[in-house]
Structures are given as C-alpha cells and as structure tokens.
Amino acid sequence: MKLDVGYILIKDIVFAEKSEIKDGILRLNAKELETLVLEDERFLAVSFDIARPGESVRITPVKDVIEPRAKVEGQGDIFPGVISKVDVVGSGKTHVLRGAAVVTVGKVVGFQEGIIDMTGLGAEYTPFSKTTNLVADFTPRDGLTPHDYEAALRFAGLKLAYALGRLGVNISPDESKVYEFPSLMEGIKLYPDLPRVGYVQMLQSQGLLHDTYVYGVDMKQSLTTMLSPTEIMDGAIISGNCVSACDKNTTYHHQNNPVIEDLFAEHGKTLNFAAMVITNENVYLADKIRSSDWTAKLVDHLDLDGVIISQEGFGNPDTDLIMNCKKVEATGTKTVIITNEYAGRDGTSQSLADADPSADALVTGGNSNQVVTLPKLDRVIGTLDYTEKIAGGFAGNVGSDGSITVEIQAITGSTNELGFNYMSAR
Amino acid sequence: MVKEIERAGIPVVHICTVTPISMTVGANRIVPAVAIPHPLGNPSLSIEDERLLRRKILNTALNALSTEVEGQTIFEVT
C-alpha cells in the first residue's frame, strides 16, 4: 500500500463566520459545529474553546485527542467503519491539519480522564501542549449511563475532527511524505539483505470503557490480526478508552504512531519493515493465552528476524506483554518491548507486574508514579472537580495557592508506550 | 500479601485471574479465577449457574489449602 500524506500547517484556530482554512489559520463557525454534534440527542449542550501553546490554560478531564484529517484520493474515507463506511483505507492521498487537534472533555468515569496544561511544568509532560486545540466540553442529558456517554463523546470527537479535516481537502499541503508498505514478497525482493522487522501493537481492550476499535470492531472481540500501517494513518484504529491518562493511546497517538514513523524512516536502509500485527489485552486468562499464541504464530509464519512490541496501559496488560515477548522469542525471533513503569514515587519498586528473562531488551516511557506540582493556571477548560480523584491524584492535592500535586499518571500522554512523549534520560 | 502470610506459617491459596503474575510473585497454591472485573462470578450466567460456579471455585480453593505441595501449583477448577 502507498499513502501520500500532505501536511497543511495550522498556525492558529479562531472562531469566525465562515469555516475555512486561510493562510494557515483554521477558522471555525462554532454554531455549525454545535449543530453537528448536538444531532446526538444524548447531549444537552456543548461549549467550544480554543487552547493555544503557551497560554495559561488547564484542560481537564480530557477524554480523547484527535487529529483532523481528510481523504483526498483513493479508496475509503477517514475513520472507516465508524464515521465513514467500512472500506479499506491506507492508500491514495490524505491531508492532515498539522498542529491542530480536537480535544474532547467530559466526566465519563471522573478518575480516568486526563489533564493537559498548555504552559508550565505540566506542558512539558504532554505532547498536546504543543498543538492548538479545539476543546469541546460536553454536557450529557440527565441519566445518561457512562457507557452511552463514552460512546457519544467518542463519536462527537471523531465527527468534529472529520469535519475540520474536510476543510483541508482543497488546500495544497505545505509538506508531504510518501509511505510505501510493500507486500511481503515485494519487500523481500527489494531488500534481500536487510533484516525483516515487524511491529506488534497491543491495543487496550479490557472492556468497561477500556476499549479500542479497529474499522469499527471492538478489538476485544477480535483475534490477533494484521494490517498495513498506512491504514492506521487514515484512522483505522480509534480510541474508546477511559483509563489512566499517561499511557492510553488517544486517537491522535494512533494516527501518528512514532514506532511506525521510525520503522518507515529506516525501511530500505537498515531494515525491511515487513509486517504489522495488532493484538488485544483482554480480561480473561484464556484470551490472553490465545491472543499471545496467535501473535507468536503470525510472527513465526512471517519468518521475521525481529519485532518491536508496544504495550498500552499497565497492570494486567503487563502479562499480555510478557506472554507476547516470551512466546515470540521462543520461535527464534528477537523482540524489543516498549512499556512504562509503575515503580512507586521513589522509583524503587518493581516496575512491571510480570517479568521473564526473555524480556531482555526494553524501552521505557518513564515512571508514571513520579510526582509533580503543577502551578495554578489562569483558565480552566472543563472542571477541577476530579483533581483529587483522578488516577494519579490524591485527597488534599490542591494547594492553597491553587497548585495541584499529582503523579504524572494524570497527565495525558506523559509516559506513552509508543514513545510519543518528551521524557528522556538524555 | 500471600508471601508474608505464608512466612508467618499460615498456608495461603491465591485465587486470581492472571495466574502467570501469581507465579511470578511466588504464590504456592494458585486457583484460577473467572476474569479480572469479576474474579469470583460470571454475570453472563444465570444466578443458579453462577452459584454453582462460585461453589466450585471455593471448593477447589479449600481443597488446595489442605493439599501438600512440593512447589508452585495451579489447581484447576473442574
């Protein structure tokens, strides 16, 4: 598959009479957007706000972050099986509104949404302090269950991102990049001497609002399977995830998966990016065994020399990670795993819930238990009502000066296990 | 907790869903549970069948508690 991705650099977002992109400014008619999302009767109201890099703004509780994209040429459309019809995506041409993001806000579970600070210490821990964000804060109808609220928010965010993306259809991109993912045999012919490397991406699928959807399919109901990484760039994988903010993959993370980016950058040079496998993280032991068996079988069948395995979330998914690693290594294929750590506030506890000697090459996204104090910011989009209860928060964590003390677990994307974050030992 | 109670001389059965973690942390008597969100029940069963399931898990655990083990042992619920 070959995908041409054109990046339209968005310098700012402003509210205006007419929705359009002009000179790199994304101009939006808020009323139109309100009408679009309030078609869903599950919402009582929505308020829109814009949060720019460097502004003294705190956004919380954050549900999802989505990058606006539009399909310009080729089969299918963005967010297939969810917003657009089920059809194969990942080839042709796609436009991206680079620098812009849709951020959905609402209290679904309360303690399992995140914080995005646009300035100060908190901004250093989240990649979404660098994007200009259209923030949509939704008020649900009375009595809406958390499951319905989650689904409504998920669809609303995707609808907004889709609508914004469409404004870029006729704009010529500032930059473009071509991603070509050859078939297995073509790849071997093209790069006979390069090691064949695959990517195994584990997707959160624990249920109870910890879910990921692939072409609209709830991943917990799927066996381990394969796709082209370019499909993901067109929104084949979306987040329906309310879980600790630091290490859940938002839809934006999926659209911009850095493991895929880096494998493409080395493709044909130091390695042959030969396959992409996606697998789940379910709550039944039999599922964990079956899915990791399937991962190892696929990797073995493809005769890969090495795979990178990325995890999503923490706790019992550590076992899925170790099972995948152990079983793949047993087939003779080398692995590198990407995870993060819950090593206690002083960093001295065991980092993962499970371990195995075959997991001898590991990249960490950082220690999610690390404590930070975030200064009071001038403006809050959303509400601070859940600051104490948010995963990573604790009773009495709001200082008299308005600062909040949290584990970085509470910050959206801080210890992301795709490497889409800023923490580094360097 | 399992290890600390055993250190005090009291045998422990660890009922848990993710038995590999229980093996990693060093429990000696392990009984597999149903699923992480509902270790000792199964909401998809009728109340009668669920009661039977609970009894089976409990009996397996009590049986494990009174069984001598040489090393780490998983007692399957049958």
Side-chain angles (χ1 to χ4, degrees), chain A residues 6 15 28 47 80 99 139 167 172 181 183 199 205 247 272 317 365 367 392:
Chain A
F15 292 121
L28 298 171
S47 65
T139 309
L167 300 173
S172 20
F181 191 67
S183 75
Y199 174 31
S205 62
D247 56 12
N272 170 5
N367 178 17

Side-chain angles (χ1 to χ4, degrees), chain A residues 132-192:
Chain A
T132 303
N133 302 318
L134 173 73
V135 186
D137 184 0
F138 292 90
T139 309
R141 286 206 176 277
D142 282 347
L144 192 67
T145 67
H147 280 83
D148 279 336
Y149 188 19
E150 186 283 319
L153 265 182
R154 172 163 28 102
F155 280 99
L158 296 171
K159 266 160 85 173
L160 286 170
Y162 183 90
L164 267 50
R166 293 305 297 171
L167 300 173
V169 171
N170 295 315
I171 307 285
S172 20
D174 299 285
E175 295 164 9
S176 70
K177 209 167 171 182
V178 176
Y179 298 89
E180 197 161 1
F181 191 67
S183 75
L184 198 62
M185 282 309 290
E186 277 168 359
I188 292 168
K189 278 183 201 151
L190 278 169
Y191 314 112

